[in-house]
Amino acid sequence: MNTEILRIQGQDSKTEEMILNLGPQHPSTHGVLRVILKMDGEVITSAQPDVGYLHRGTEKLAENRTYPQMLVISDRWDYLAAMSNNLVWALAVEKLMQIEVPARGQILRVIMVELNRIASHLVFFGTYGIDIGAYTPFLYAFREREKILDLFEEVSGARMTYNYIRIGGVMADLPKDWIGRCRSFLEWMKPRFIEYDTLLTENPIFQDRTKNIGILPQPLAISYGISGPNLRGSSYRFDLRKDAPYCLYEKFNFSIPTGKNGDCWDRYWVRIEEMKESVKIIEQALDLLPEGECNAKVPRIIRPPMGEVYAQIEAPRGMLGIYLVSDGGDKPYRVHVRPPSFINLAVLQEILVGMKVADVIAILGSIDIVLGEVDR
Amino acid sequence: MLNYFKTIYKVGKSLIQGMLVTWKSFWQPSITVQFPDEKLITPERFRGALTFDKETCTACNLCVKACPTACISLEPAVDPATKKRIAKVSWYQIDFGKCNYCRLCEEACPTKPIKSVRHTHQYEWGMLERKEMFVKWERMSPSTEPSTSGSTNMKPI
Amino acid sequence: MILPVWNESQKRSALILFGIASAGAGISIAIGEIGARFSKIWQCLSSFALKNSIPTALLTTLSMIIQCSILIGFISGAVMFMVWWERKVSAHMQNRLGPMFTGGWHGWAQTIADAIKLLLKEDIIPAEAKPWVHRLAPIVAFVPAFLCYAALPFGEGLISADLDIGILYIFAISGLSVLGIVMAGWGSGNKYSLLGGLRSAAQSVSYEIPRVLSVVPILMMVGSLKLTSIANVQTGFWRLAGIPLLPRWFIFYPIVGQIAFLIFLISSVAETNRTPFDIAEAESELVAGFHTEYSGMKFSFFFLAEYAYVFLSSGLTTVLFLGGGSGPVLPSWSWFLLKSFAVVFLFLWFRWTFPRLRVDRLMEFTWKFLLPWSFINILITGFILLF
Amino acid sequence: MTPQEMFSIIQAQYKNITEIPYPQSPHAAPAHEGKPYRDPHLYLQCPSELWLEFANFLKNEENLSFDYLTFVTALDYAKVNPQEPIRIEVVYHLYSFKHRHSIVVKISLQRENPVLSSVIQVWKTSDWQEREVYDMFGVKFEGHPNCSRILMWEGFPGWPLRKDYVHIPDRYDD
């Protein structure tokens, strides 16, 4: 498709190039992102994303905060999946201090992270519908997400910045009949997937807008360090929950959906299937939840030994990692956050060339970035 | 030729199915909560605005250390007679412009049985200027109201 | 729909609304009856004028003014209702409530409040814009919408200009508003609206042809362009041994009716720039397309023009395919209103279910699918008319 | 592939790439702190002029085939604690999909104007990550198409993540 377009711009039809600023205030850049598009008519000749508008310097902040305080900052990276950020920070510190979290604490963490994955993919499903032009799926997605946020509000007290997963376990055990409400949510969620499929996935106009658009070939994906549903969309089976299990993930059986030819539709389809898998994981986790203490014994002032550690988990947007170097004090010496959205976004400048303006929005939406995580 | 009509049929059928989904939810009752009239009940662990109990606080500074954004500042009371520090607080100030509502201060507070700094269930709370965000509790002054340097700010939006 | 339990203010506003509804019905019945007997009133009036030598020219201008005011009053009333109705329908389709507070019961006065707000808003002309093109664009986009209503039959005798080239007139005048959109796009000087304007020009031009061609089979059957004659042909029922099987509407003609109806519906959705063809003001790509730089009164002109065209297209669909004004008990104009608001509901239903087509796929859809099928449709009618 | 086998393959090819030993707890560390911890990967110290060639070797070598660069970051050892000489250390964490093993390569540069050759030809993901390291630490990457600031705005003074960075507080109170 690309070669055919470039041939049109022959020497004779002298069309002067138009530079269009997509963002930073734009309804479909999912946050404060600016993409400088050079266009010939409707076709993009070069795209250059410009990030940094939401940079809050978390890595500098981390250097003068104690370990538990850093959890509160971690909520603000990928603000649609704060539980995953908390989990990766807690895992890094626990690995450094060699703390073993009891089984109940680990399974509670799995339940929370998977619920958060569903909530984050629901936001993707809703906003991707709007990017392509259908307004109704957004409202349905947020109707379901409200139920999840209510569950989170009961367990942690907040709706977006939970600060629930702590070093050594979780903030507090589940309230009384939380498990009953969680199960009723899962029952409510299952028929919704059929509704979503009829409304958007099998909709011919939607498929026409997303099939064979923004194809991300596998070698390009690997060389750009793409991870998460975008990588699985290009038919590469790699999921940290299966390949490097953490937090007792090896106890659950669930499948890893992978797309076929790496276009926008496959990335969208992978996320919808992942939501269905997450529902299965939560059900197994709720059955598997053992009794007993959910927190490990952790000293009041956390002072990990000297050393460095790299912990990574499968966040909804990809491989979220924390590279933590400690010099024995109560504040980390150096923290580097490996942000999946920041790295996935870099591929935009390659696959946008030759596409139309409407496709730019479809491709940007299908990569599903959150600017809090891109800029940190 | 045949699959030309088959695609038309398939496209038509899935379009109609999509429309039936919206038709079905057209008749379902709406789930909006009309805020000023109907209000949602906040769960028991809800982290709303912070309150402070002047009498029980022993000015131990644990909450000041625990806060990630250092928005709490306090000054221990001094017994006028013996000029020695006593286990009471003279004033206690929280800068709600920086507060993360993360409950670390409440967890760090050692006072039994009710913590002196804790979250309430109040979320209707607007402020007009930045100065109003500094909520200050004085123990010495006769008025027991938490006074800010300016108008009292506990009015709902 | 479960009605929420009503508190005091809602009961009172329900009463007010019921009063308004019945008054509205009363006035429209009066207009309906006067309309039906308009010719008789016209005779006695002109004879009265002759007697005491009032120049007839004065009389015709007077009746012209009355007709125009009724027409404009009706259209703005219908558009006001449709804006409110779209917000309520879209809300309930998305499990929410829509406007609830302005004016009491289910926020019926929301559009009036919006209109007043838009009037009070500051009218900004961007520095980059060419001022006169920017000012003229909404007028050029808005006026043809009202002109077309002159030839639309609202019921027996309820037509202000019974032109014998009715359909041709409507299609020709509605083609003009594209000029307004392109002027808006180019005039407001910003790249997004330029793209929006160009896109809508391409779209309207290419959807005009299948829209007109899909009406040709009906003209072949009726034999005249006059809208009232088309409506009259469709009165009555197909009787199978006495019992009225199907009303004689064009939509029920064997193959021809359905294909023509579908093509006309799809292309009129495209003509009015509504989803799934709203590439001109695609919120997610072009911010707001051609009316990005418009605010206040000028924006409401574009808004009214869009809804006027929606009602015009659904009115045309009723007249052409659903036998405008023919129905057993109720007076003709109420049948016409009922059917056209049903078609408007169809427009709204499309908008809140379907995503948006891409520009080139949209063009391809017209030229490679709608156009050939409208030709085939004309062919089939030709064969049917032969035997 | 255990770290030792990998190291032997690398050692055969490149002599002056040394393995970084497991960190020892400094003699003054209090007992309760526990033993220092490090991930069980292979940690290599590579001289800066050899890095580009070594990177190609890591990627194309048959039984290493590190085709996935997980992340690039840097550390600024400015504060003098006895064990760490003053330097800026650039850390490359690599992973191989084929063999499912990972490796960490550290390159130390002097703090005045650190320069390193860019590996954008080998792994394209380093494009933005190296720009971020430049933005935060001032490490100049030769061979990088536009080695400019990515998160901070162009005229930003100084390198924020260096230990000796003095922050001018931005005022928004009044």
Side-chain angles (χ1 to χ4, degrees), chain C residues 152-156 218 222 226-238 246-253 257 261 264 313-340 343:
Chain C
L152 194 64
F154 288 87
E156 268 84 18
I218 298 168
V222 171
K226 217 163 159 20
L227 277 168
T228 35
S229 57
I230 294 173
N232 299 343
V233 160
Q234 295 172 46
T235 52
F237 292 87
W238 274 309
L246 276 173
R248 242 196 228 299
W249 299 343
F250 274 118
I251 191 168
F252 295 123
Y253 278 59
F261 175 74
F264 185 78
S313 310
S314 51
L316 262 180
T317 336
T318 12
V319 168
L320 295 174
F321 294 97
L322 308 174
S326 70
V329 170
L330 294 172
S332 70
W333 52 269
S334 64
W335 271 113
F336 174 82
L337 286 184
L338 265 177
K339 287 180 212 159
S340 42
V343 179

Side-chain angles (χ1 to χ4, degrees), chain C residues 170-189:
Chain C
I170 288 184
F171 284 140
I173 300 284
S174 70
L176 269 177
S177 73
V178 173
L179 195 63
I181 294 177
V182 172
M183 276 166 69
W186 182 72
S188 41

Side-chain angles (χ1 to χ4, degrees), chain C residues 200-378:
Chain C
S200 87
Q203 173 187 333
S204 302
V205 161
S206 50
Y207 272 91
E208 198 67 36
I209 304 161
R211 190 175 187 207
V212 170
L213 284 178
S214 65
V215 175
V216 165
I218 298 168
L219 304 184
M220 288 156 77
M221 290 186 197
V222 171
S224 103
L225 284 172
K226 217 163 159 20
L227 277 168
T228 35
S229 57
I230 294 173
N232 299 343
V233 160
Q234 295 172 46
T235 52
F237 292 87
W238 274 309
R239 295 201 177 283
L240 187 63
I243 39 141
L245 199 61
L246 276 173
R248 242 196 228 299
W249 299 343
F250 274 118
I251 191 168
F252 295 123
Y253 278 59
I255 317 131
V256 165
Q258 284 77 24
I259 300 178
F261 175 74
L262 279 177
I263 294 177
F264 185 78
L265 190 67
I266 294 170
S267 41
S268 44
V269 167
E271 196 63 40
T272 53
N273 283 341
R274 283 183 71 86
T275 315
F277 305 97
D278 66 345
I279 50 163
E281 23 96 16
E283 281 77 18
S284 61
E285 297 137 34
L286 301 177
V287 182
F290 56 89
H291 49 72
T292 326
E293 297 300 340
Y294 282 88
S295 61
M297 193 56 199
K298 289 191 277 204
F299 176 72
S300 58
F301 267 114
F302 276 117
F303 210 59
L304 289 184
E306 189 201 336
Y307 279 99
Y309 272 116
V310 165
F311 189 72
L312 176 77
S313 310
S314 51
L316 262 180
T317 336
T318 12
V319 168
L320 295 174
F321 294 97
L322 308 174
S326 70
V329 170
L330 294 172
S332 70
W333 52 269
S334 64
W335 271 113
F336 174 82
L337 286 184
L338 265 177
K339 287 180 212 159
S340 42
F341 276 121
V343 179
V344 167
F345 181 79
L346 216 57
F347 274 61
L348 304 187
W349 198 359
F350 287 156
R351 174 160 190 198
W352 300 106
T353 334
F354 294 137
R356 184 181 307 119
L357 270 168
R358 207 180 54 193
V359 179
D360 54 341
R361 301 291 303 173
L362 187 124
M363 296 304 162
E364 216 180 291
F365 178 66
T366 336
W367 298 103
K368 290 189 182 139
F369 183 73
L370 284 187
L371 208 52
W373 274 103
S374 38
F375 283 133
I376 293 164
N377 201 3
I378 297 171

Side-chain angles (χ1 to χ4, degrees), chain A residues 6-8 12 163 169 192-193 214 216 226 254 312 316 325 346:
Chain A
L6 298 183
R7 203 172 11 44
I8 294 169
D12 41 18
N163 194 10
R192 297 287 81 74
F193 289 128
L216 182 56
I226 305 282
F254 56 95
Q312 56 187 354
V325 175

Side-chain angles (χ1 to χ4, degrees), chain A residues 142-158:
Chain A
F142 267 61
R143 170 188 63 190
E144 269 73 80
R145 186 163 173 269
E146 266 324 295
K147 292 190 181 342
I148 301 179
L149 295 189
D150 291 346
L151 287 174
F152 281 144
E153 201 171 17
E154 270 153 43
V155 110
S156 73

